[in-house]
Amino acid sequence: MDITDAQRHKLHQHLIENLGDEDAATLMAHLPPVGWADVATKTDLAHLETLLRSETDRAIASVRADLRAEMAGGLTAVRAEMATGLTGLRGEMHAGFAELRAEIHGLRTETQGEFAGVRSEFADVRREIGELRAEMHKGFANHLRVTLAAHVGIVAAVVGLVAVT
């Protein structure tokens, strides 16, 4: 049988009148706050615990299965995406290396042509230096002859003057 709040209050007042405030409060504290039909027993709690554990275990198993399936699908997609990306990257690298090789070959050809031109210019410079050296040698020889002839002329004049005197 459920009791109302009014009946509970009336009982509390009657206990205060007969037992006093403190004893009435103590006795009222030992009464359930609701009807006995609403009070859970240990058996009720054990049964509820079993139900909750069962529900929780099923929910966790379901979440695990969903996560595994989602992760497996995600990993497959990531692997496929990586394979596609790597294939594309390989193609780009091959094309890039081929382009680089062509540029290096072109630079090598161009450099060889430039070195041939530089060698030709050095050969021209060597030839010109050889010609300048020959001209300088010839000019020095002529200058030496002229200077020697002048000195001989001066010496002859000095000797002629000395003999006259």
Side-chain angles (χ1 to χ4, degrees), residues 3 6-16 24 28 31:
I3 62 170
Q7 290 170 329
R8 233 177 139 73
H9 182 66
K10 183 178 173 185
L11 175 63
H12 188 242
Q13 290 301 320
H14 182 69
L15 289 172
I16 290 172
M28 289 299 289
L31 293 177

Side-chain angles (χ1 to χ4, degrees), residues 75-113:
L75 286 174
T76 301
V78 166
R79 284 185 183 123
E81 198 173 314
M82 285 179 65
T84 302
L86 288 174
T87 300
L89 182 60
R90 280 188 195 112
E92 288 177 25
M93 288 177 65
H94 286 300
F97 283 134
E99 185 178 318
L100 184 60
R101 278 189 216 102
E103 285 182 34
I104 289 172
H105 181 71
L107 286 173
R108 183 183 300 146
T109 303
E110 184 180 322
T111 303
Q112 287 172 344

Side-chain angles (χ1 to χ4, degrees), residues 20-50:
D21 281 340
E22 190 175 323
D23 290 338
T26 302
L27 188 55
M28 289 299 289
H30 286 83
L31 293 177
V34 293
W36 283 108
D38 294 330
V39 175
T41 64
K42 288 182 181 181
T43 305
D44 292 335
L45 292 176
H47 180 66
L48 180 61
E49 179 184 13
T50 302

Side-chain angles (χ1 to χ4, degrees), residues 87-142:
T87 300
L89 182 60
R90 280 188 195 112
E92 288 177 25
M93 288 177 65
H94 286 300
F97 283 134
E99 185 178 318
L100 184 60
R101 278 189 216 102
E103 285 182 34
I104 289 172
H105 181 71
L107 286 173
R108 183 183 300 146
T109 303
E110 184 180 322
T111 303
Q112 287 172 344
E114 288 180 12
F115 277 132
V118 169
R119 281 189 210 108
S120 174
E121 287 180 24
F122 274 133
D124 290 346
V125 168
R126 280 191 191 123
R127 184 182 41 75
E128 289 176 10
I129 289 173
E131 290 172 0
L132 282 174
R133 190 177 285 151
E135 284 180 33
M136 287 175 62
H137 184 27
K138 187 176 174 183
F140 180 72
N142 285 339

